[in-house]
Amino acid sequence: MSLHRVSSMSSYEQVVRGSSPARSEHKNMSFNPVGNGKVPAGKEPVGAFEVSKPKRIFQVAIAVIYCLFAAGVVFGYAAIKPVLVQEGVYSQFCEKDEFMSSELGRTCYEQEIRLNLMFTTAAVATNVCALPVGTVLDRYGPRISGIIGSILLTVGALLMAFATQLPFDAYIPGYLFLALGGPFIFISSFQLSNTFPQNSGLILALLTGAFDSSSAVFLFYRLIYSASHGSFTPQNFFLVYLVVPISILVVQIFVMPAHSYKTVGELITQAEERNEDIDFTIPDSEDTGRRHQHRESVVSETTSLLGKSAINQQTEEEKKKQISGVWGALHGRSALQQIMTPWFIFITLFTVVQMTRINYFVATVRTQYEYMLHSDALAKHVNHVFDVALPVGGVLSIPFIGLVLDNTSTPFTLALLVFVAIAIGVLGVLPFLWAAYGNVILFVLYRPLYYTAVSDYAAKVFGFQTFGKVYGLIICLAGLLNFSQSGLDAMTHKVFHGDPLPINIGLLVIALVVGAVLVGYVYHQSRHLKRDALEETEENEDMRMPAANGA
């Protein structure tokens, strides 16, 4: 879930775009993967200056808080899994001798497969959900999106709370609903970056940090569960957790905006349109005077919101475009044309492999190290370190991610992703405690960088006009293919007798091959783009010189 950087860029880029109407970045950015990005009648966004500053501050603060408790709680699976095992979830599928191991905190094959399927389904749903969320957000606005999210969270919490009393397996659908609710709440909060455009990066960093930190919700519950010696049961926790979706529902109705805030570009366009509507041929017109005064007020409010001159912002954005080396590679083409290119195919393959590796590790971190370290105690300790490091790493990596993506080329960023992925893969097959710690640290820093870099790549290569369709399809396909994780679990237990090394080595080799092909292709194409840009510049200079001589 890393659309935040793209949203931040779009806030300003509407102001600094060039004049060619063929370029895709002239269009308003849309998260709708199936629509055309047009705002339905009556759903027009509002300007930030139309809402009081205290209310906007309160809206941002509230959004950060509820994202902290709801946006990505399902990714704290590694923390809540030991609790579910301790509570005997799916232990009925274990044999008698295996059931004794389950009571000691270990899982049998059938139990492990079902528990991991619960997380796999949730992870897939989180990614696939990006498709309908974009449509709902564009068509009905952030309030409706947030309300839907709160309802889904409520259903999920109720199913998880009463799973032991229901006549069907409620754990998988319960965890699924918790996963579905997160994107509706998180993505609908992106537009709040336009409440204070000059601080949009900070706002989005806070929202993203809240999303990454939300995995700690289950960590804190597990600590409470252990401290209470199991008396604070999952039913008690999820009933208390209902406070979160109910609170979100209340603030969506009474506090949060019904429609998205306007981007700076939309505000500037509005001011220009008002200026064009004024009939200056009528002298001393009262209507002209009033409208002129209103236009000046809009421009003044917009300027105060910006805080930075458009010229300075344009210089910074143009510098970032040049540094990327791939900006505009496929801008102006249809989504169908874009997904038929190697640009799309290679990044999708890489995303599929990496997302599978990431979610496989999250689901099996403890069982992997139980086998490799030959110690339940050490594996449990590594699991606990991972539970804490996952949300903390997500927050600490935010400034580093911004520096990398804004100051290095896209080929370099992709090469860095591949290099770190290989390092994680190598550490993941070494049966040493220091390698386990190194693996965990690199993993928690790599995960947010990877997700953000993919969305950044999509924005720079494919453009904003088709972003919802193309990026949504990448994440959707990767999510659907993550169901292969269940097959990997089965192979680990049945074919390799619990040994995770063959699967990890196989994924490592695939990541290396696909990553090398992706980096090689993008690097080669970036050189072509740079050469074409230089030739175009030289042609423009040659055309200007005769004109100057003729003058």
Side-chain angles (χ1 to χ4, degrees):
M1 307 298 293
S2 51
L3 294 171
H4 56 282
R5 288 190 53 78
V6 177
S7 179
S8 177
M9 292 167 65
S10 67
S11 300
Y12 283 104
E13 285 193 289
Q14 302 292 337
V15 186
V16 300
R17 306 239 166 100
S19 59
S20 171
R23 292 180 64 81
S24 65
E25 61 266 35
H26 292 268
K27 308 295 183 181
N28 288 334
M29 182 183 178
S30 170
F31 291 105
N32 187 348
V34 295
N36 56 11
K38 293 181 179 179
V39 181
K43 303 295 181 181
E44 290 291 336
V46 296
F49 59 81
E50 298 176 45
V51 181
S52 67
K53 185 176 180 180
K55 184 173 183 179
R56 282 181 281 140
I57 294 175
F58 186 59
Q59 288 174 340
V60 172
I62 288 294
V64 171
I65 292 172
Y66 66 58
C67 282
L68 180 64
F69 286 95
V73 290
V74 293
F75 292 102
Y77 171 77
I80 199 172
K81 182 179 178 181
V83 175
L84 299 178
V85 173
Q86 200 71 28
E87 287 291 311
V89 176
Y90 295 129
S91 60
Q92 68 270 26
F93 296 100
C94 299
E95 301 294 336
K96 287 186 178 180
D97 56 334
E98 293 177 327
F99 181 76
M100 294 300 293
S101 297
S102 177
E103 289 185 329
L104 296 174
R106 303 186 66 181
T107 58
C108 67
Y109 166 71
E110 294 292 341
Q111 184 182 24
E112 179 76 10
I113 290 297
R114 284 171 172 77
L115 285 171
N116 289 347
L117 179 62
M118 185 173 79
F119 172 72
T120 300
T121 304
V124 170
T126 301
N127 295 310
V128 175
C129 195
L131 295 172
V133 170
T135 303
V136 171
L137 182 58
D138 282 351
R139 185 172 294 274
Y140 301 107
R143 175 176 293 171
I144 297 299
S145 179
I147 290 174
I148 292 174
S150 65
I151 293 172
L152 292 171
L153 283 175
T154 301
V155 174
L158 288 173
L159 287 174
M160 293 294 289
F162 297 104
T164 57
Q165 303 169 33
L166 294 173
F168 59 90
D169 179 6
Y171 286 106
I172 291 178
Y175 213 70
L176 171 63
F177 276 103
L178 290 177
L180 292 174
F184 276 98
I185 289 169
F186 180 52
I187 296 177
S188 65
S189 302
F190 289 166
Q191 51 86 27
L192 292 174
S193 65
N194 294 315
T195 54
F196 298 95
Q198 60 181 334
N199 301 117
S200 62
L202 173 61
I203 293 171
L204 290 165
L206 289 172
L207 290 171
T208 305
F211 171 82
D212 289 326
S213 300
S214 62
S215 61
V217 170
F218 288 157
L219 168 61
F220 285 116
Y221 166 56
R222 195 196 69 208
L223 295 176
I224 295 172
Y225 178 85
S226 299
S228 66
H229 303 289
S231 62
F232 192 65
T233 63
Q235 182 177 43
N236 295 332
F237 168 74
F238 283 106
L239 288 177
V240 172
Y241 184 76
L242 286 172
V243 172
V244 174
I246 292 172
S247 300
I248 292 174
L249 178 63
V250 171
V251 298
Q252 288 294 341
I253 295 173
F254 296 106
V255 179
M256 306 308 286
H259 311 305
S260 299
Y261 281 102
K262 290 181 179 179
T263 65
V264 174
E266 290 170 333
L267 292 173
I268 294 294
T269 301
Q270 177 186 355
E272 290 174 347
E273 289 175 349
R274 292 180 186 277
N275 187 33
E276 292 172 357
D277 289 341
I278 299 175
D279 188 357
F280 289 102
T281 62
I282 304 176
D284 301 324
S285 168
E286 248 181 69
D287 182 62
T288 300
R290 284 196 304 269
R291 293 169 72 183
H292 179 73
Q293 184 178 3
H294 181 67
R295 182 187 68 84
E296 291 297 329
S297 174
V298 170
V299 173
S300 175
E301 294 287 356
T302 302
T303 303
S304 66
L305 281 171
L306 273 170
K308 264 181 166 183
S309 70
I311 296 176
N312 289 340
Q313 184 64 32
Q314 180 178 8
T315 302
E316 292 180 11
E317 293 299 337
E318 288 298 329
K319 181 181 177 182
K320 292 176 184 178
K321 293 176 185 178
Q322 293 175 3
I323 290 174
S324 75
V326 299
W327 178 271
L330 298 178
H331 289 193
R333 299 190 189 183
S334 68
L336 181 60
Q337 290 174 326
Q338 291 174 343
I339 64 177
M340 298 299 290
T341 64
W343 290 97
F344 175 85
I345 295 171
F346 292 151
I347 193 64
T348 301
L349 290 175
F350 185 69
T351 303
V352 168
V353 174
Q354 290 306 106
M355 193 177 290
T356 301
R357 293 181 69 198
I358 287 172
N359 291 332
Y360 177 68
F361 184 76
V362 171
T364 62
V365 55
R366 181 167 176 174
T367 54
Q368 284 195 41
Y369 283 109
E370 281 177 355
Y371 185 93
M372 288 194 293
L373 299 179
H374 306 290
S375 169
D376 293 344
L378 289 178
K380 183 178 180 181
H381 182 67
V382 171
N383 196 157
H384 289 178
V385 171
F386 177 74
D387 294 338
V388 175
L390 187 62
V392 174
V395 175
L396 293 180
S397 64
I398 290 174
F400 168 73
I401 293 172
L403 288 173
V404 171
L405 297 181
D406 289 341
N407 298 285
T408 64
S409 68
T410 299
F412 175 86
T413 301
L414 294 175
L416 179 64
L417 286 180
V418 174
F419 176 79
V420 178
I422 300 308
I424 290 173
V426 172
L427 290 173
V429 298
L430 298 178
F432 307 109
L433 185 60
W434 63 266
Y437 289 144
N439 190 18
V440 166
I441 292 172
L442 274 183
F443 178 90
V444 299
L445 294 175
Y446 176 82
R447 180 172 169 265
L449 172 62
Y450 155 74
Y451 282 116
T452 309
V454 172
S455 66
D456 186 72
Y457 171 98
K460 289 174 178 176
V461 172
F462 304 116
F464 295 106
Q465 184 182 15
T466 59
F467 181 88
K469 300 181 183 73
V470 177
Y471 179 73
L473 184 59
I474 292 172
I475 298 301
C476 181
L477 289 174
L480 289 173
L481 291 173
N482 256 236
F483 275 120
S484 63
Q485 183 185 318
S486 296
L488 298 180
D489 278 339
M491 288 179 64
T492 300
H493 288 84
K494 289 294 186 181
V495 178
F496 303 115
H497 308 290
D499 184 358
L501 294 184
I503 297 297
N504 286 335
I505 292 173
L507 291 174
L508 171 60
V509 172
I510 295 173
L512 176 59
V513 172
V514 174
V517 172
L518 172 64
V519 173
Y521 177 80
V522 173
Y523 175 73
H524 179 70
Q525 291 298 318
S526 68
R527 295 186 64 184
H528 277 291
L529 290 170
K530 185 177 180 180
R531 186 169 59 250
D532 292 343
L534 289 174
E535 291 176 355
E536 184 179 353
T537 302
E538 291 175 358
E539 289 177 3
N540 291 336
E541 290 178 353
D542 291 340
M543 291 176 64
R544 283 196 296 266
M545 287 178 64
N549 293 333

